[in-house]
Amino acid sequence: MESSVAVIGDIDTVTGFQLGGLKEGRIVKTNQEAEKALDELIENKISVIIITEKIAEKISEYIEKRIGSDVLPMIIEIPDKSGSSERDSDPMGELIKRVIGVEMVK
């Protein structure tokens, strides 16, 4: 395992992270490619997976099925170059709840 952090996203997002020094990145265009990339990173014991919000939304059920309530890998959703998505849920709040077991309330 060379890196404990990886990114899944469009070419611009992955390239940006790689220019910043992140070695592990998967460029995906379809839901199937995203699911395959997620599986590979989980099998490689990557502990933090950064994924663009738009891709995460498209494969959210698959992510939930693969990760469930496990603490690792930690999935961090980020906006892509077009900006943040409108969402019904708060992915950071859900991440905090999964990691420490406490729901953060505003």
Side-chain angles (χ1 to χ4, degrees):
M1 174 175 72
E2 283 186 26
S3 174
S4 61
V5 178
V7 63
I8 298 172
D10 58 83
I11 190 167
D12 295 326
T13 301
V14 173
T15 301
F17 274 92
Q18 289 175 332
L19 289 171
L22 189 68
K23 294 179 183 177
E24 194 75 43
R26 300 288 194 282
I27 298 169
V28 299
K29 295 179 182 174
T30 66
N31 294 357
Q32 292 78 18
E33 289 176 353
E35 291 171 0
K36 182 180 177 189
L38 181 67
D39 287 339
E40 290 172 0
L41 296 174
I42 290 171
E43 288 176 22
N44 291 336
K45 306 281 188 227
I46 301 296
S47 56
V48 177
I49 300 173
I50 301 166
I51 186 169
T52 60
E53 290 175 341
K54 289 181 181 174
I55 293 171
E57 286 175 19
K58 291 178 183 176
I59 65 166
S60 62
E61 290 179 16
Y62 189 77
I63 292 172
E64 184 62 33
K65 184 175 87 172
R66 283 292 276 138
I67 307 296
S69 62
D70 293 343
V71 174
L72 293 177
M74 185 181 307
I75 305 292
I76 299 175
E77 297 178 23
I78 61 166
D80 63 8
K81 66 182 177 184
S82 62
S84 191
S85 302
E86 293 290 323
R87 312 188 98 174
D88 292 334
S89 64
D90 176 19
M92 280 311 270
E94 292 172 12
L95 174 64
I96 292 168
K97 183 177 178 182
R98 193 173 87 210
V99 172
I100 64 174
V102 176
E103 185 172 1
M104 304 300 286
V105 182
K106 294 181 183 178

